[in-house]
PDB file of all heavy atoms in Angstrom:
ATOM      1  N   LEU A 335      -5.998  -0.923   4.967  1.00 79.00           N
ATOM      2  CA  LEU A 335      -6.037   0.388   5.610  1.00 79.00           C
ATOM      3  C   LEU A 335      -4.793   0.684   6.434  1.00 79.00           C
ATOM      4  O   LEU A 335      -4.278   1.795   6.436  1.00 79.00           O
ATOM      5  CB  LEU A 335      -7.239   0.457   6.558  1.00 79.00           C
ATOM      6  CG  LEU A 335      -8.586   0.846   5.966  1.00 79.00           C
ATOM      7  CD1 LEU A 335      -9.587   0.988   7.086  1.00 79.00           C
ATOM      8  CD2 LEU A 335      -8.484   2.151   5.200  1.00 79.00           C
ATOM      9  N   ALA A 336      -4.305  -0.359   7.136  1.00 83.00           N
ATOM     10  CA  ALA A 336      -3.182  -0.127   8.043  1.00 83.00           C
ATOM     11  C   ALA A 336      -1.978   0.410   7.287  1.00 83.00           C
ATOM     12  O   ALA A 336      -1.213   1.218   7.812  1.00 83.00           O
ATOM     13  CB  ALA A 336      -2.821  -1.419   8.771  1.00 83.00           C
ATOM     14  N   SER A 337      -1.819  -0.008   6.019  1.00 87.00           N
ATOM     15  CA  SER A 337      -0.654   0.446   5.257  1.00 87.00           C
ATOM     16  C   SER A 337      -0.705   1.934   4.975  1.00 87.00           C
ATOM     17  O   SER A 337       0.321   2.573   4.812  1.00 87.00           O
ATOM     18  CB  SER A 337      -0.557  -0.286   3.928  1.00 87.00           C
ATOM     19  OG  SER A 337      -0.468  -1.645   4.153  1.00 87.00           O
ATOM     20  N   VAL A 338      -1.914   2.481   4.879  1.00 86.00           N
ATOM     21  CA  VAL A 338      -2.036   3.914   4.625  1.00 86.00           C
ATOM     22  C   VAL A 338      -1.358   4.664   5.761  1.00 86.00           C
ATOM     23  O   VAL A 338      -0.623   5.624   5.548  1.00 86.00           O
ATOM     24  CB  VAL A 338      -3.517   4.319   4.515  1.00 86.00           C
ATOM     25  CG1 VAL A 338      -3.636   5.808   4.265  1.00 86.00           C
ATOM     26  CG2 VAL A 338      -4.208   3.542   3.414  1.00 86.00           C
ATOM     27  N   GLU A 339      -1.597   4.174   6.983  1.00 84.00           N
ATOM     28  CA  GLU A 339      -0.951   4.799   8.141  1.00 84.00           C
ATOM     29  C   GLU A 339       0.546   4.599   8.119  1.00 84.00           C
ATOM     30  O   GLU A 339       1.319   5.514   8.367  1.00 84.00           O
ATOM     31  CB  GLU A 339      -1.389   4.086   9.420  1.00 84.00           C
ATOM     32  CG  GLU A 339      -2.745   4.368   9.867  1.00 84.00           C
ATOM     33  CD  GLU A 339      -3.092   3.348  10.933  1.00 84.00           C
ATOM     34  OE1 GLU A 339      -2.317   3.179  11.903  1.00 84.00           O
ATOM     35  OE2 GLU A 339      -4.124   2.724  10.773  1.00 84.00           O
ATOM     36  N   THR A 340       0.954   3.339   7.842  1.00 89.00           N
ATOM     37  CA  THR A 340       2.374   3.017   7.897  1.00 89.00           C
ATOM     38  C   THR A 340       3.151   3.873   6.902  1.00 89.00           C
ATOM     39  O   THR A 340       4.267   4.303   7.184  1.00 89.00           O
ATOM     40  CB  THR A 340       2.585   1.525   7.568  1.00 89.00           C
ATOM     41  OG1 THR A 340       1.589   0.787   8.245  1.00 89.00           O
ATOM     42  CG2 THR A 340       3.949   1.061   7.993  1.00 89.00           C
ATOM     43  N   LEU A 341       2.541   4.117   5.744  1.00 90.00           N
ATOM     44  CA  LEU A 341       3.223   4.914   4.725  1.00 90.00           C
ATOM     45  C   LEU A 341       3.643   6.273   5.262  1.00 90.00           C
ATOM     46  O   LEU A 341       4.700   6.787   4.920  1.00 90.00           O
ATOM     47  CB  LEU A 341       2.281   5.129   3.545  1.00 90.00           C
ATOM     48  CG  LEU A 341       2.362   4.077   2.456  1.00 90.00           C
ATOM     49  CD1 LEU A 341       1.213   4.261   1.485  1.00 90.00           C
ATOM     50  CD2 LEU A 341       3.682   4.167   1.724  1.00 90.00           C
ATOM     51  N   GLY A 342       2.791   6.842   6.137  1.00 88.00           N
ATOM     52  CA  GLY A 342       3.084   8.164   6.677  1.00 88.00           C
ATOM     53  C   GLY A 342       4.327   8.187   7.539  1.00 88.00           C
ATOM     54  O   GLY A 342       4.951   9.227   7.714  1.00 88.00           O
ATOM     55  N   SER A 343       4.707   7.041   8.107  1.00 89.00           N
ATOM     56  CA  SER A 343       5.905   7.064   8.950  1.00 89.00           C
ATOM     57  C   SER A 343       7.060   6.278   8.326  1.00 89.00           C
ATOM     58  O   SER A 343       8.071   6.035   8.975  1.00 89.00           O
ATOM     59  CB  SER A 343       5.592   6.550  10.360  1.00 89.00           C
ATOM     60  OG  SER A 343       4.957   5.319  10.290  1.00 89.00           O
ATOM     61  N   THR A 344       6.909   5.899   7.062  1.00 92.00           N
ATOM     62  CA  THR A 344       7.995   5.202   6.378  1.00 92.00           C
ATOM     63  C   THR A 344       9.215   6.117   6.267  1.00 92.00           C
ATOM     64  O   THR A 344       9.072   7.277   5.906  1.00 92.00           O
ATOM     65  CB  THR A 344       7.538   4.805   4.960  1.00 92.00           C
ATOM     66  OG1 THR A 344       6.405   3.961   5.092  1.00 92.00           O
ATOM     67  CG2 THR A 344       8.627   4.097   4.198  1.00 92.00           C
ATOM     68  N   ASN A 345      10.392   5.588   6.636  1.00 92.00           N
ATOM     69  CA  ASN A 345      11.580   6.431   6.497  1.00 92.00           C
ATOM     70  C   ASN A 345      12.677   5.811   5.658  1.00 92.00           C
ATOM     71  O   ASN A 345      13.661   6.468   5.340  1.00 92.00           O
ATOM     72  CB  ASN A 345      12.108   6.865   7.865  1.00 92.00           C
ATOM     73  CG  ASN A 345      12.557   5.696   8.690  1.00 92.00           C
ATOM     74  OD1 ASN A 345      12.062   4.591   8.504  1.00 92.00           O
ATOM     75  ND2 ASN A 345      13.498   5.912   9.586  1.00 92.00           N
ATOM     76  N   VAL A 346      12.528   4.543   5.272  1.00 94.00           N
ATOM     77  CA  VAL A 346      13.527   3.927   4.392  1.00 94.00           C
ATOM     78  C   VAL A 346      12.800   3.291   3.207  1.00 94.00           C
ATOM     79  O   VAL A 346      11.826   2.562   3.394  1.00 94.00           O
ATOM     80  CB  VAL A 346      14.315   2.824   5.140  1.00 94.00           C
ATOM     81  CG1 VAL A 346      15.297   2.138   4.204  1.00 94.00           C
ATOM     82  CG2 VAL A 346      15.051   3.400   6.337  1.00 94.00           C
ATOM     83  N   ILE A 347      13.247   3.607   1.996  1.00 95.00           N
ATOM     84  CA  ILE A 347      12.690   2.930   0.821  1.00 95.00           C
ATOM     85  C   ILE A 347      13.805   2.135   0.170  1.00 95.00           C
ATOM     86  O   ILE A 347      14.793   2.709  -0.288  1.00 95.00           O
ATOM     87  CB  ILE A 347      12.147   3.926  -0.227  1.00 95.00           C
ATOM     88  CG1 ILE A 347      11.194   4.926   0.412  1.00 95.00           C
ATOM     89  CG2 ILE A 347      11.460   3.179  -1.351  1.00 95.00           C
ATOM     90  CD1 ILE A 347      10.710   5.984  -0.573  1.00 95.00           C
ATOM     91  N   CYS A 348      13.667   0.814   0.162  1.00 94.00           N
ATOM     92  CA  CYS A 348      14.629  -0.007  -0.556  1.00 94.00           C
ATOM     93  C   CYS A 348      14.017  -0.297  -1.917  1.00 94.00           C
ATOM     94  O   CYS A 348      12.932  -0.866  -2.005  1.00 94.00           O
ATOM     95  CB  CYS A 348      14.864  -1.332   0.172  1.00 94.00           C
ATOM     96  SG  CYS A 348      15.573  -1.109   1.796  1.00 94.00           S
ATOM     97  N   THR A 349      14.716   0.100  -2.960  1.00 93.00           N
ATOM     98  CA  THR A 349      14.129  -0.061  -4.286  1.00 93.00           C
ATOM     99  C   THR A 349      15.063  -0.842  -5.191  1.00 93.00           C
ATOM    100  O   THR A 349      16.281  -0.733  -5.064  1.00 93.00           O
ATOM    101  CB  THR A 349      13.830   1.315  -4.916  1.00 93.00           C
ATOM    102  OG1 THR A 349      13.493   1.130  -6.285  1.00 93.00           O
ATOM    103  CG2 THR A 349      15.005   2.258  -4.821  1.00 93.00           C
ATOM    104  N   ASP A 350      14.483  -1.660  -6.061  1.00 90.00           N
ATOM    105  CA  ASP A 350      15.364  -2.301  -7.026  1.00 90.00           C
ATOM    106  C   ASP A 350      15.660  -1.301  -8.133  1.00 90.00           C
ATOM    107  O   ASP A 350      15.095  -0.216  -8.171  1.00 90.00           O
ATOM    108  CB  ASP A 350      14.821  -3.637  -7.541  1.00 90.00           C
ATOM    109  CG  ASP A 350      13.395  -3.543  -8.010  1.00 90.00           C
ATOM    110  OD1 ASP A 350      12.924  -2.414  -8.178  1.00 90.00           O
ATOM    111  OD2 ASP A 350      12.769  -4.589  -8.201  1.00 90.00           O
ATOM    112  N   LYS A 351      16.593  -1.692  -8.967  1.00 90.00           N
ATOM    113  CA  LYS A 351      17.055  -0.737  -9.970  1.00 90.00           C
ATOM    114  C   LYS A 351      16.289  -0.907 -11.270  1.00 90.00           C
ATOM    115  O   LYS A 351      15.648   0.028 -11.758  1.00 90.00           O
ATOM    116  CB  LYS A 351      18.553  -0.970 -10.213  1.00 90.00           C
ATOM    117  CG  LYS A 351      19.120  -0.235 -11.405  1.00 90.00           C
ATOM    118  CD  LYS A 351      20.592  -0.539 -11.578  1.00 90.00           C
ATOM    119  CE  LYS A 351      20.883  -1.960 -12.041  1.00 90.00           C
ATOM    120  NZ  LYS A 351      20.447  -2.242 -13.415  1.00 90.00           N
ATOM    121  N   THR A 352      16.354  -2.136 -11.791  1.00 86.00           N
ATOM    122  CA  THR A 352      15.857  -2.352 -13.142  1.00 86.00           C
ATOM    123  C   THR A 352      14.348  -2.168 -13.208  1.00 86.00           C
ATOM    124  O   THR A 352      13.611  -2.867 -12.531  1.00 86.00           O
ATOM    125  CB  THR A 352      16.244  -3.770 -13.607  1.00 86.00           C
ATOM    126  OG1 THR A 352      17.605  -3.966 -13.262  1.00 86.00           O
ATOM    127  CG2 THR A 352      16.039  -3.925 -15.086  1.00 86.00           C
ATOM    128  N   GLY A 353      13.921  -1.218 -13.994  1.00 85.00           N
ATOM    129  CA  GLY A 353      12.487  -1.052 -14.196  1.00 85.00           C
ATOM    130  C   GLY A 353      11.835  -0.099 -13.215  1.00 85.00           C
ATOM    131  O   GLY A 353      10.787   0.448 -13.502  1.00 85.00           O
ATOM    132  N   THR A 354      12.437   0.082 -12.041  1.00 88.00           N
ATOM    133  CA  THR A 354      11.846   1.009 -11.078  1.00 88.00           C
ATOM    134  C   THR A 354      12.571   2.352 -11.180  1.00 88.00           C
ATOM    135  O   THR A 354      11.945   3.388 -11.315  1.00 88.00           O
ATOM    136  CB  THR A 354      11.959   0.449  -9.646  1.00 88.00           C
ATOM    137  OG1 THR A 354      11.578  -0.920  -9.675  1.00 88.00           O
ATOM    138  CG2 THR A 354      11.041   1.191  -8.701  1.00 88.00           C
ATOM    139  N   LEU A 355      13.903   2.291 -11.125  1.00 91.00           N
ATOM    140  CA  LEU A 355      14.683   3.510 -11.307  1.00 91.00           C
ATOM    141  C   LEU A 355      15.049   3.699 -12.784  1.00 91.00           C
ATOM    142  O   LEU A 355      15.246   4.808 -13.249  1.00 91.00           O
ATOM    143  CB  LEU A 355      15.962   3.456 -10.466  1.00 91.00           C
ATOM    144  CG  LEU A 355      15.749   3.333  -8.950  1.00 91.00           C
ATOM    145  CD1 LEU A 355      17.091   3.225  -8.232  1.00 91.00           C
ATOM    146  CD2 LEU A 355      14.970   4.522  -8.417  1.00 91.00           C
ATOM    147  N   THR A 356      15.157   2.569 -13.488  1.00 90.00           N
ATOM    148  CA  THR A 356      15.489   2.665 -14.921  1.00 90.00           C
ATOM    149  C   THR A 356      14.254   2.329 -15.747  1.00 90.00           C
ATOM    150  O   THR A 356      13.247   1.862 -15.228  1.00 90.00           O
ATOM    151  CB  THR A 356      16.609   1.686 -15.294  1.00 90.00           C
ATOM    152  OG1 THR A 356      16.107   0.357 -15.154  1.00 90.00           O
ATOM    153  CG2 THR A 356      17.835   1.865 -14.419  1.00 90.00           C
ATOM    154  N   GLU A 357      14.360   2.562 -17.038  1.00 87.00           N
ATOM    155  CA  GLU A 357      13.211   2.371 -17.930  1.00 87.00           C
ATOM    156  C   GLU A 357      12.851   0.906 -18.148  1.00 87.00           C
ATOM    157  O   GLU A 357      11.749   0.578 -18.540  1.00 87.00           O
ATOM    158  CB  GLU A 357      13.540   2.975 -19.308  1.00 87.00           C
ATOM    159  CG  GLU A 357      13.827   4.445 -19.273  1.00 87.00           C
ATOM    160  CD  GLU A 357      12.652   5.234 -19.792  1.00 87.00           C
ATOM    161  OE1 GLU A 357      11.592   4.637 -20.002  1.00 87.00           O
ATOM    162  OE2 GLU A 357      12.806   6.443 -19.973  1.00 87.00           O
ATOM    163  N   ASN A 358      13.809   0.020 -17.932  1.00 83.00           N
ATOM    164  CA  ASN A 358      13.654  -1.399 -18.251  1.00 83.00           C
ATOM    165  C   ASN A 358      13.441  -1.606 -19.747  1.00 83.00           C
ATOM    166  O   ASN A 358      12.739  -2.512 -20.166  1.00 83.00           O
ATOM    167  CB  ASN A 358      12.494  -2.012 -17.467  1.00 83.00           C
ATOM    168  CG  ASN A 358      12.698  -3.513 -17.273  1.00 83.00           C
ATOM    169  OD1 ASN A 358      13.808  -4.014 -17.430  1.00 83.00           O
ATOM    170  ND2 ASN A 358      11.640  -4.222 -16.950  1.00 83.00           N
ATOM    171  N   LYS A 359      14.026  -0.700 -20.522  1.00 84.00           N
ATOM    172  CA  LYS A 359      14.007  -0.889 -21.974  1.00 84.00           C
ATOM    173  C   LYS A 359      15.452  -1.133 -22.368  1.00 84.00           C
ATOM    174  O   LYS A 359      16.222  -0.206 -22.569  1.00 84.00           O
ATOM    175  CB  LYS A 359      13.465   0.361 -22.673  1.00 84.00           C
ATOM    176  CG  LYS A 359      11.992   0.558 -22.434  1.00 84.00           C
ATOM    177  CD  LYS A 359      11.455   1.679 -23.292  1.00 84.00           C
ATOM    178  CE  LYS A 359       9.997   1.902 -22.913  1.00 84.00           C
ATOM    179  NZ  LYS A 359       9.689   3.313 -22.731  1.00 84.00           N
ATOM    180  N   MET A 360      15.810  -2.404 -22.447  1.00 89.00           N
ATOM    181  CA  MET A 360      17.217  -2.738 -22.677  1.00 89.00           C
ATOM    182  C   MET A 360      17.525  -2.774 -24.172  1.00 89.00           C
ATOM    183  O   MET A 360      16.723  -3.258 -24.948  1.00 89.00           O
ATOM    184  CB  MET A 360      17.515  -4.130 -22.125  1.00 89.00           C
ATOM    185  CG  MET A 360      16.996  -4.347 -20.750  1.00 89.00           C
ATOM    186  SD  MET A 360      18.300  -4.127 -19.585  1.00 89.00           S
ATOM    187  CE  MET A 360      17.351  -4.464 -18.108  1.00 89.00           C
ATOM    188  N   THR A 361      18.705  -2.291 -24.485  1.00 92.00           N
ATOM    189  CA  THR A 361      19.193  -2.417 -25.863  1.00 92.00           C
ATOM    190  C   THR A 361      20.643  -2.886 -25.795  1.00 92.00           C
ATOM    191  O   THR A 361      21.447  -2.304 -25.068  1.00 92.00           O
ATOM    192  CB  THR A 361      19.181  -1.046 -26.571  1.00 92.00           C
ATOM    193  OG1 THR A 361      17.935  -0.425 -26.314  1.00 92.00           O
ATOM    194  CG2 THR A 361      19.383  -1.201 -28.048  1.00 92.00           C
ATOM    195  N   VAL A 362      20.936  -3.940 -26.563  1.00 93.00           N
ATOM    196  CA  VAL A 362      22.319  -4.412 -26.597  1.00 93.00           C
ATOM    197  C   VAL A 362      23.154  -3.374 -27.336  1.00 93.00           C
ATOM    198  O   VAL A 362      22.782  -2.938 -28.431  1.00 93.00           O
ATOM    199  CB  VAL A 362      22.414  -5.771 -27.320  1.00 93.00           C
ATOM    200  CG1 VAL A 362      23.875  -6.150 -27.552  1.00 93.00           C
ATOM    201  CG2 VAL A 362      21.696  -6.845 -26.512  1.00 93.00           C
ATOM    202  N   SER A 363      24.264  -2.961 -26.721  1.00 92.00           N
ATOM    203  CA  SER A 363      25.078  -1.937 -27.380  1.00 92.00           C
ATOM    204  C   SER A 363      26.457  -2.446 -27.776  1.00 92.00           C
ATOM    205  O   SER A 363      27.125  -1.847 -28.590  1.00 92.00           O
ATOM    206  CB  SER A 363      25.228  -0.722 -26.463  1.00 92.00           C
ATOM    207  OG  SER A 363      25.894  -1.117 -25.290  1.00 92.00           O
ATOM    208  N   GLN A 364      26.862  -3.554 -27.199  1.00 92.00           N
ATOM    209  CA  GLN A 364      28.246  -3.961 -27.428  1.00 92.00           C
ATOM    210  C   GLN A 364      28.464  -5.442 -27.102  1.00 92.00           C
ATOM    211  O   GLN A 364      27.884  -5.953 -26.144  1.00 92.00           O
ATOM    212  CB  GLN A 364      29.115  -3.108 -26.503  1.00 92.00           C
ATOM    213  CG  GLN A 364      30.582  -3.215 -26.732  1.00 92.00           C
ATOM    214  CD  GLN A 364      31.349  -2.392 -25.690  1.00 92.00           C
ATOM    215  OE1 GLN A 364      30.774  -1.519 -25.034  1.00 92.00           O
ATOM    216  NE2 GLN A 364      32.621  -2.671 -25.537  1.00 92.00           N
ATOM    217  N   TYR A 365      29.309  -6.083 -27.933  1.00 94.00           N
ATOM    218  CA  TYR A 365      29.785  -7.438 -27.598  1.00 94.00           C
ATOM    219  C   TYR A 365      31.280  -7.343 -27.398  1.00 94.00           C
ATOM    220  O   TYR A 365      31.976  -6.668 -28.163  1.00 94.00           O
ATOM    221  CB  TYR A 365      29.495  -8.427 -28.727  1.00 94.00           C
ATOM    222  CG  TYR A 365      28.030  -8.864 -28.777  1.00 94.00           C
ATOM    223  CD1 TYR A 365      27.102  -8.122 -29.480  1.00 94.00           C
ATOM    224  CD2 TYR A 365      27.609 -10.005 -28.108  1.00 94.00           C
ATOM    225  CE1 TYR A 365      25.778  -8.501 -29.522  1.00 94.00           C
ATOM    226  CE2 TYR A 365      26.286 -10.396 -28.140  1.00 94.00           C
ATOM    227  CZ  TYR A 365      25.371  -9.640 -28.846  1.00 94.00           C
ATOM    228  OH  TYR A 365      24.060 -10.028 -28.866  1.00 94.00           O
ATOM    229  N   GLU A 366      31.778  -8.000 -26.380  1.00 93.00           N
ATOM    230  CA  GLU A 366      33.222  -8.005 -26.132  1.00 93.00           C
ATOM    231  C   GLU A 366      33.657  -9.458 -26.287  1.00 93.00           C
ATOM    232  O   GLU A 366      33.269 -10.319 -25.486  1.00 93.00           O
ATOM    233  CB  GLU A 366      33.467  -7.490 -24.705  1.00 93.00           C
ATOM    234  CG  GLU A 366      34.880  -7.129 -24.388  1.00 93.00           C
ATOM    235  CD  GLU A 366      35.416  -5.962 -25.216  1.00 93.00           C
ATOM    236  OE1 GLU A 366      34.664  -4.996 -25.437  1.00 93.00           O
ATOM    237  OE2 GLU A 366      36.581  -6.052 -25.649  1.00 93.00           O
ATOM    238  N   LEU A 367      34.404  -9.744 -27.365  1.00 91.00           N
ATOM    239  CA  LEU A 367      34.738 -11.132 -27.670  1.00 91.00           C
ATOM    240  C   LEU A 367      36.250 -11.326 -27.665  1.00 91.00           C
ATOM    241  O   LEU A 367      37.006 -10.356 -27.532  1.00 91.00           O
ATOM    242  CB  LEU A 367      34.166 -11.502 -29.044  1.00 91.00           C
ATOM    243  CG  LEU A 367      32.664 -11.219 -29.189  1.00 91.00           C
ATOM    244  CD1 LEU A 367      32.240 -11.308 -30.640  1.00 91.00           C
ATOM    245  CD2 LEU A 367      31.871 -12.186 -28.332  1.00 91.00           C
TER     246      LEU A 367
END
Side-chain angles (χ1 to χ4, degrees):
L335 275 186
S337 301
V338 179
E339 286 167 52
T340 317
L341 269 170
S343 52
T344 300
N345 63 333
V346 177
I347 309 176
C348 297
T349 170
D350 50 14
K351 169 181 70 68
T352 314
T354 315
L355 299 177
T356 67
E357 299 256 9
N358 206 17
K359 290 188 185 134
M360 313 261 180
T361 314
V362 171
S363 62
Q364 189 184 342
Y365 283 87
E366 194 64 40
L367 307 167

